[in-house]
Amino acid sequence: MSWPQLGSRHRSGNRFVGRELGRVEPYWKAGTPIVNQVVQTTVDLAAVANVGIGDVLQERFDGTAHWWLCREGVRLGRLNWSLSTFEQKPWQAAPMLRVDEGDLEVTRLLLDPSGRVINCGGILRPKDR
């Protein structure tokens, strides 16, 4: 299936495709944060190349300082969260919910100029909900 482009093409030629979710605030308030993408330098390109819109990936905290997206035990990439992400900020009505174990429904893919999947993001749903 062909998905619409989200936003503009990057200078590198990369582009996001997928489902437009609108404002992120309602998702945060519902305790289901949006993950835009994982840290590009941590992406396992061979593993993420087979990810598609609608796939469900596992999100896990490693017990020390990092959150990872995985599929069948293989790490696809690291989320850009840190422990301070979950601290109350002056501009927030409430701090972001810390999700140590959840499922990410893929709603967006980052494609390189040749159309190969090189990153992904989506809606994170905690396991305890």
Side-chain angles (χ1 to χ4, degrees):
M1 175 174 211
S2 179
W3 294 95
Q5 182 170 310
L6 304 174
S8 301
R9 188 176 291 266
H10 302 181
R11 275 185 243 159
S12 63
N14 296 344
R15 60 193 167 90
F16 278 104
V17 299
R19 294 189 352 237
E20 182 59 58
L21 298 175
R23 294 174 45 92
V24 299
E25 186 179 6
Y27 293 95
W28 280 46
K29 284 183 176 180
T32 56
I34 300 297
V35 173
N36 186 43
Q37 65 182 21
V38 295
V39 176
Q40 192 64 47
T41 57
T42 67
V43 173
D44 179 332
L45 291 173
V48 81
N50 298 315
V51 172
I53 303 292
D55 288 359
V56 177
L57 307 175
Q58 296 74 48
E59 174 267 348
R60 303 285 181 268
F61 179 59
D62 66 12
T64 56
H66 300 294
W67 286 260
W68 296 87
L69 280 186
C70 304
R71 176 184 252 170
E72 298 173 4
V74 175
R75 285 183 173 175
L76 302 179
R78 182 174 55 83
L79 278 64
N80 65 351
W81 297 350
S82 67
L83 293 172
S84 67
T85 301
F86 310 101
E87 296 172 0
Q88 177 75 43
K89 309 296 188 294
W91 63 87
Q92 294 174 316
M96 184 175 145
L97 174 72
R98 180 173 162 169
V99 181
D100 286 350
E101 185 175 351
D103 291 325
L104 181 118
E105 175 193 352
V106 177
T107 61
R108 60 191 292 135
L109 302 171
L110 181 61
L111 308 180
D112 70 10
S114 70
R116 184 179 58 147
V117 176
I118 59 171
N119 210 317
C120 63
I123 304 168
L124 181 57
R125 294 185 173 88
K127 279 285 192 193
D128 58 0
R129 292 188 167 226

